[in-house]
């Protein structure tokens, strides 16, 4: 073997080693980038705790009785479909609570929400019997005018406190607020509109 052959072999050997080192380096860099992307996804998506949505949905009346403009009153009963929508990647365990139904800022009834949990990425459905009446309203209320128009406006407010748990170890306390306004059509005995904030 000549000197140039030795140099050529040595050069090819060095080239093979360099290519091998390059492959290892690219592999390690790709692995590190993959781990960083995974960690970012975990922090930005999985670990982003949100307050679940707490709402009342539309319902049908079991009973609805109203007075007149001269003698304004109402009493009604229905099953309130309460919904707790949990968009987190872990369950939301909440304590027992109440939803207050008001007319003109005066409480006319309430619904009891039992302690429970909404699973991850799901909506917990709770059907609660509710009875409302105007007995607590002052005589100066606007009920007579609303009865003559055929629409009664009610509000429902509530607060749900609980904890979201992700991966069985990361916990965060969250509070959900309900603030819904419903227009009741007294002639058709139906909910005309229902909006929640």
């Amino acid at each position: 073997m000549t000197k140039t052959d030795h140099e050529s072999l040595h050069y090819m050997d060095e080239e093979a080693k360099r290519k091998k080192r390059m492959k290892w380096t690219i592999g390690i860099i790709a692995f590190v980038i993959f781990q960083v992307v995974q960690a970012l996804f975990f922090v930005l998506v999985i670990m982003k705790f949100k307050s679940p949505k707490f709402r009342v949905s539309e319902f049908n009346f079991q009973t609805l009785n109203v007075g007149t403009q001269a003698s304004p009153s109402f009493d009604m009963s229905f099953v309130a479909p309460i919904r707790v929508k949990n968009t987190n990647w872990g369950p939301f365990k909440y304590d027992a609570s109440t939803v207050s139904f008001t007319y003109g800022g005066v409480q006319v009834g309430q619904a009891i929400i039992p302690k429970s949990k909404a699973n991850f990425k799901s909506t917990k459905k709770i059907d609660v019997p509710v009875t409302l009446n105007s007995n607590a309203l002052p005589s100066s209320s606007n009920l007579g005018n609303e009865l003559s128009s055929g629409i009664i406006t009610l509000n429902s407010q509530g607060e749900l406190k609980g904890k979201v748990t992700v991966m069985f170890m990361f916990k965060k306390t969250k509070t959900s607020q309900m603030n819904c306004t419903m227009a009741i059509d007294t002639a058709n005995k139906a909910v005309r509109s229902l909006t929640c904030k």
Side-chain angles (χ1 to χ4, degrees), residues 46 52 84-93 117-124 164-168:
I46 306 294
V84 181
K85 185 178 182 182
N86 181 18
T87 57
N88 292 293
W89 288 92
F92 174 60
K93 292 182 181 178
K117 80 171 181 175
N119 288 321
F120 73 98
K121 295 286 181 185
S122 69
T123 301
K124 173 77 174 178
V164 176
T165 307
V166 175
M167 297 189 69
F168 306 107

Side-chain angles (χ1 to χ4, degrees), residues 66-69 72-74 102-104 137 141-155 181-187:
V66 295
T68 62
Q69 185 173 8
S73 68
F74 67 78
T102 60
Y103 176 84
L137 295 179
S141 77
N142 194 38
L143 184 58
N145 292 333
E146 282 207 344
L147 285 173
S148 67
S149 73
I151 300 291
I152 301 174
T153 305
L154 298 173
N155 288 50
T181 302
M182 56 203 84
I184 310 300
D185 185 332
T186 58

